Amino acid sequence: MNTAAGGPDAGSIGEHEEPPVPVDRPPIVVAANRLPVMRTEEGWSPSPGGLVRALYPLLRATGGKWIGWTGDTDDAPAPFHVDGVDLVPVPISAAEVELYYEGFSNDGLWPLYHDALRESTYDADQWDAYGAVNQRFADVLAAESPVGALVWIHDYQLQLVPAMLRAQRPDLRIGFFLHIPFPPHELFSRLPWRNEVIEGLLGCDLVGFQRPMGAMNFVASAQQLLDVEAERSDDERTAVIDVDGRRVHVGPFPISIDVAEVEEMAAGRATRQRASQIRARLGDPEVILLGVDRLDYTKGIGLRLRAFGRLLEQGLLDPERHVMVQVATPTREAIEHYQDERHEIERLVGSINGRFSRLGLPVVHYIYRTIPFEELIPLYRAGDVLLVTPFRDGMNLVAKEYAAAHIDGDGVEVLSEFAGAADELTDAVLVNPHDEQALEAAIVTAVEMHRHERRERMAGLRAQISKFDLHGWADRFLDALADL
Ligand code: GDG
C-alpha cells in the first residue's frame, strides 16, 4: 500500500467508537509492506490512516497480528505490541529497498499496472530481490500465523507471498487484495516474470480487486498464461479458478473510507472557521478548485493544470473569480519518473501563475508537502470543485473523502472515468481526462453548476459512500474469506 492506503493522516486508533467484531472470527493476520506504526520520541505509535483504523479493532478482537516492514533499514526489532495488537517486523536492507521497493515494485510493476503510462524497468536483480523479500514475508507468516487463521496479504509488493505461504502452511485461508488496478492481458504479458506473478496469486483462496474489470483481467491472464479452467459468474464480476484441485475465488471488493470519522472532523466549529479563513486567505474567490494527490504521474495533475490554464486563456475562467489549490504530497522522490513529473508540474504552476496572477494573489496555490489530515478536511470543505483526474487509479480515496467532508451538502466533483471510484460515484461529473476538450467542458460544467443540481448530486455521492464504508469493506472481504 502507499502511505498506508488512507494516507498520512493524523489521529490515534481508539479515539472513535469501534464497530462490534463478530466473536466467532478466527484470528486474522495481516501482511502489508509497511507495519501500521511510526517511531516517535515516546516509542512506537499507530500510524494514521483509514486502513489501519479499520483493521486494528479486528486484529485486537481476534488476537491477530500484523506483519510488515518498519520503514527503517538499519534494524529489525523483535515483535512488539501497540494498542493490544502484535506487530512482527520483517527486516529489509537498504539494498533491498532500492531493488525490491523502489525498483521492481515502484519502477517496474507500478507503471505497468497503470496503463504503462511510463516505461517500466525490468531488471533481473530487482526481480531476485522482490522474490527474496516475498519469501521472507512468507516465512514470517508461516511461523507466526495461528492454526486456521485468516491471512490477508495486501498489494503489489507482495504478490508472490500467497503461493510461498501455501507451500508451507496449507491449513491457512489466504486472501489477497490489490489496491491498484490489474492491467489487461496485453499489457500484463509484457512482464518477463508474468507466470510467476500469476502463480503467486493463485496460492490464494480469495483474490480481491478494486473493480470488476481488474478481477476479469486477472482471470484472463491466468487462463492465457497457465491454461487454468475458470468459471465466470453471469454478470462477469466474479470467477472461480481451478488450480491443482483447489478453487481460487476472484472478485471486486471496492475499498472505501471511514465516513463517520471524516464527517465528525468536518462537523467541528474549528473546521468551519478554518475553511472560511482559507477562503479569505485566497482572496475570497467565487470558486475554489481543489486537487489533492500524491505527486504521482498516474494522478493527472498536469492534465488539470493545463486545462485550467487554457480556460483562463480563453476567458472561460477568470483569475479574479476562480482559483486553484493543488496539494501534491511528496512521494517516491528517488525515482526518476517522479522527479520528471515534479519538474513538469512546477513548470506548469509557474507558467500559469506568471501569466494570470495578481500581486499577492496567485491563481494557482501549489503545496508540495504532506499536510496534517486535520488541515486537509477544512480544505475539502473550502473547495467548491474537486478535480480528480487520474489517467488510471485503483480507487481514489480523495474523491470519497471530499464527499464525506461536505456535510453542508454542497460541492461538485470532476472525476476521471479511469479511477475505480467512478464505478460508484456516478453523481460526479465523470470525464475522460485524455480528452482535452471534454476535461475543459467538465470543469466549466462543475464551476457553473446550479446550486440545486450541486446539492442533488452531492446528496447522491454522500448516500453512496455511506452505504459502503471502510469497515464494511474489511468485513465483506474477511467474511468472504472465512466462508470459503
Ligand atoms: C493506493 C491506490 C487506492 C494525500 N495527501 C495528503 C494526504 N493524502 C491522503 C488522502 C487519501 C490518501 O492520501 C490518498 O488516497 P489515494 O486513493 O489517492 O491513494 P494512493 O496513495 O494512490 O493509494 C489508490 C488506495 O491505494 C486505497 O486502496 O484508492 O487507487 O493508488 O486518504 O487523504 N493526507 C494527509 N496529507 C496530505 O498532504 N494527511
Side-chain angles (χ1 to χ4, degrees), residues 49-285:
L51 184 69
V52 177
R53 240 183 322 264
L55 295 180
Y56 235 77
L58 300 170
L59 299 193
R60 190 155 47 217
T62 61
K65 296 179 183 176
W66 190 308
I67 278 136
W69 175 45
T70 58
D72 287 339
T73 50
D74 40 11
D75 68 348
F80 55 102
H81 307 266
V82 172
D83 262 11
V85 171
D86 287 346
L87 303 175
V88 186
V90 177
I92 298 185
S93 69
E96 284 169 338
V97 170
E98 232 172 81
L99 295 168
Y100 141 82
Y101 183 70
E102 288 168 358
F104 196 75
S105 299
N106 286 328
D107 208 33
L109 295 173
W110 181 270
L112 179 66
Y113 281 30
H114 289 88
D115 290 359
L117 283 167
R118 294 287 184 279
E119 217 167 298
S120 282
T121 302
Y122 301 122
D123 175 293
D125 290 339
Q126 292 181 359
W127 165 251
D128 289 345
Y130 185 81
V133 173
N134 273 247
Q135 186 65 58
R136 201 170 305 144
F137 268 83
D139 295 347
V140 174
L141 278 168
E144 294 286 341
S145 300
V147 173
L150 303 180
V151 176
W152 192 1
I153 300 158
H154 288 260
D155 232 0
Y156 60 103
Q157 302 92 349
L158 302 179
Q159 292 173 109
L160 306 182
V161 175
M164 291 170 164
L165 177 59
R166 179 165 302 280
Q168 301 184 58
R169 291 287 306 273
D171 62 295
L172 299 169
R173 260 164 300 175
I174 304 174
F176 179 95
F177 180 73
L178 185 69
H179 289 257
I180 67 174
F182 193 91
H185 183 63
E186 287 74 8
L187 286 181
F188 182 72
S189 57
R190 293 181 182 183
L191 183 67
W193 303 279
R194 58 202 183 180
N195 287 25
E196 288 85 341
V197 167
I198 299 285
E199 279 161 0
L201 291 171
L202 288 177
C204 287
D205 297 292
L206 176 63
V207 192
F209 297 86
Q210 301 274 25
R211 306 180 90 165
M213 200 181 4
M216 291 305 110
N217 286 345
F218 170 70
V219 173
S221 279
Q223 285 181 302
Q224 302 227 23
L225 295 169
L226 302 182
D227 203 22
V228 289
E229 295 280 321
E231 198 182 311
R232 289 174 174 75
S233 61
D234 290 343
D235 61 5
E236 302 250 327
R237 294 173 62 86
T238 64
V240 181
I241 304 179
D242 280 323
V243 188
D244 309 330
R246 281 189 309 110
R247 288 162 72 74
V248 180
H249 295 254
V250 180
F253 292 85
I255 198 169
S256 193
I257 56 159
D258 190 334
V259 175
E261 187 218 359
V262 173
E263 284 184 341
E264 194 182 310
M265 290 175 77
R269 217 177 74 174
T271 305
R272 236 181 14 251
Q273 282 172 346
R274 180 72 187 128
S276 325
Q277 200 182 46
I278 291 171
R279 184 171 285 278
R281 286 257 183 101
L282 297 176
D284 236 338

Side-chain angles (χ1 to χ4, degrees), residues 1-3 5-10 110 114 155 177-181 210 255 257 292-294 296 298-299 327-329 332 369-374 376 380 393-398 401:
M1 279 155 298
N2 305 297
T3 57
D9 38 341
W110 181 270
H114 289 88
D155 232 0
F177 180 73
L178 185 69
H179 289 257
I180 67 174
Q210 301 274 25
I255 198 169
I257 56 159
V292 176
D293 312 76
R294 280 186 307 102
D296 195 299
T298 59
K299 302 284 183 185
V327 177
T329 311
R332 305 177 194 168
R369 277 196 308 278
T370 297
I371 63 174
F373 201 56
E374 311 87 76
L376 204 51
Y380 283 146
D393 212 333
M395 175 55 61
N396 198 290
L397 298 178
V398 168
E401 288 166 358

